[in-house]
Amino acid sequence: MTAPQAPQVIDESPDARRREQRGWYWYDWANSAFPTTVLTVFLGPYLTDIAERAAEVRGSDFVDVLGFDVRPAAYYGFVVGAAAICQIVFMPMAGAIADHTGRKRGMLGLFAYLGAAATLAMWFLSDTRYLLGGALFIVANIGFACAMVIYNSFLPQIATADERDRVSSMGWGFGYLGGGLLLLINLALYLQREQLGIETSVAVRISLVSAGLWWGGFTIIPLLRLRNRPVTTHDATLGQAVGGSFRQLGRTLRDLRRYPLTLLFLGAYLLYNDGVQSVIAFSGQFASEALKLDEEVRIAAILIVQFVAFGGALLLGRLAIRYGTKRVVLYSLIGWVGVLGLAYIVQEGSALQFLGLGVLIAIVLGGTQALSRSLFSHVIPKGKEAEYYSLYEISDKGSTFLGAWTFGLVLQLTDSDYRVAIISLLIFFALGFGLLLAVDLPRAIREAGNEVPDKI
């Protein structure tokens, strides 16, 4: 009979926490290549072009998607929505298994490399392979979202309550720099493609592949720095761990009823962040189809967003320390409403107006996301970080099917009127603002058994 092992002692000193925090930032740097290069800039317009080519070959105004006729302009929106539904299925599983086994670091690597591999495979998107593009996008999004569940769940373990706004904001800011740097490299390649003798489709596919390489390569750093924490339950086999994780997930969903204010916060975040994610996902398509702007202008706009958003995230983080996190997030939502109103009236072909819009988005984008992440960390019961962050990610990436399908449905019903589609997203910000305003955060934090920070 083997004697029980002594529990592992984790060094939680300030120096040890700072070392983990510095490693944790690098995953934001690594995975930001996917939402910038792939999601926001290149894949949407490129996949739409492939679908349009397939429709021409078919001799129709539609492409066939599992027996349904879909307009090429609406195809990408429906793919984003399908990916979101798949994320909703897989993210709670990933979070439950991570909390049940304590193997967060290994699971972060597993899902990160799944997403990076699917992104690398986008090299094979050419001709009329719109269905392949949709499938790879869905797999990459599953990997991205499940890895984010694990990544976010480290935040309350590596930062004290008073450190989390700063740490979360620094992570988002670092991510904007990483994603922006890769996009700058891809912009240089794209602009010089003719001089280099590279076809446009090849330049786009090289850019997509670079995102997979960047994502996978820099993920090594957080995997070396982050540490697993001991858990009370250790299962002997993977099957036992999976079975235990599902039972624990069921208990978590039932226990969520004990934290109604946490649930209300999740509802608010689901709505307003659905708007944020939809704007990010369809900004490139809106610029190309509604504003008739070329690829260079669209990439320049997202570069502006990336680098200005670094400062925006840090600025709103400092404002949160001074004025309170919830108040700053509420004002940022008002800013989003103004951004969409301006997007509706941007003149066709006006690169300057579109770039100005990018600056405004950058100011509110980083703060909205970083501060929401740190706010949620305060209303999570200890020991259930990954499970609760899986619910958070459903409200983040996973809920995007609401905005994506709203956007796609409006395009379908209005014969591809992108201005009406973009303004339709206002409803998500308005409803999210109202719900967040109703959340009593100090009470929610106390109900979760956590300490209320000085400014919240």
Side-chain angles (χ1 to χ4, degrees), residues 192-211:
Q192 298 297 317
R193 63 190 184 281
E194 293 184 0
Q195 291 86 335
L196 295 172
I198 300 175
E199 295 180 1
T200 298
S201 65
V202 174
V204 170
R205 287 185 288 139
I206 290 174
S207 298
L208 295 174
V209 167
S210 73

Side-chain angles (χ1 to χ4, degrees), residues 87-163:
Q87 290 170 337
I88 289 173
V89 173
F90 285 99
M91 287 189 296
M93 298 182 193
I97 293 172
D99 279 337
H100 195 72
T101 63
R103 300 168 185 169
K104 292 184 179 180
R105 184 172 61 182
M107 291 186 65
L108 175 64
L110 172 67
F111 288 114
Y113 286 111
L114 172 67
T119 307
L120 284 171
M122 290 180 184
W123 169 257
F124 299 103
L125 299 184
S126 60
D127 301 324
T128 61
R129 296 173 183 168
Y130 64 96
L131 291 176
L132 175 63
L136 291 175
F137 180 78
I138 289 171
V139 173
N141 267 273
I142 291 171
F144 180 84
C146 290
M148 281 299 294
V149 168
I150 313 302
Y151 169 69
N152 285 338
S153 73
F154 276 102
L155 178 59
Q157 295 180 331
I158 66 174
T160 65
D162 291 326
E163 292 174 339

Side-chain angles (χ1 to χ4, degrees), residues 339-389:
V339 164
L340 288 181
L342 292 173
Y344 183 79
I345 62 174
V346 168
Q347 295 175 328
E348 182 178 316
S350 177
L352 185 61
Q353 291 181 15
F354 184 68
L355 295 177
L357 199 63
V359 172
L360 295 178
I361 288 176
I363 293 172
V364 295
L365 176 62
T368 303
Q369 295 177 315
L371 296 178
S372 295
R373 178 169 64 182
S374 61
L375 269 182
F376 188 64
S377 72
H378 295 290
V379 297
I380 301 173
K382 285 183 173 61
K384 298 184 177 181
E385 293 86 3
E387 292 172 42
Y388 272 73
Y389 267 112

Side-chain angles (χ1 to χ4, degrees), residues 4 14 32 38 75 82 101 126 129 151 162 177 209 234 240 298 301 314 349 363 372 396 419 448:
S32 291
V38 178
Y75 173 67
T101 63
S126 60
R129 296 173 183 168
Y151 169 69
D162 291 326
L177 287 182
V209 167
H234 292 279
Q240 290 175 335
R298 300 198 302 270
L314 298 185
I363 293 172
S372 295
D396 185 348
R419 293 182 186 272

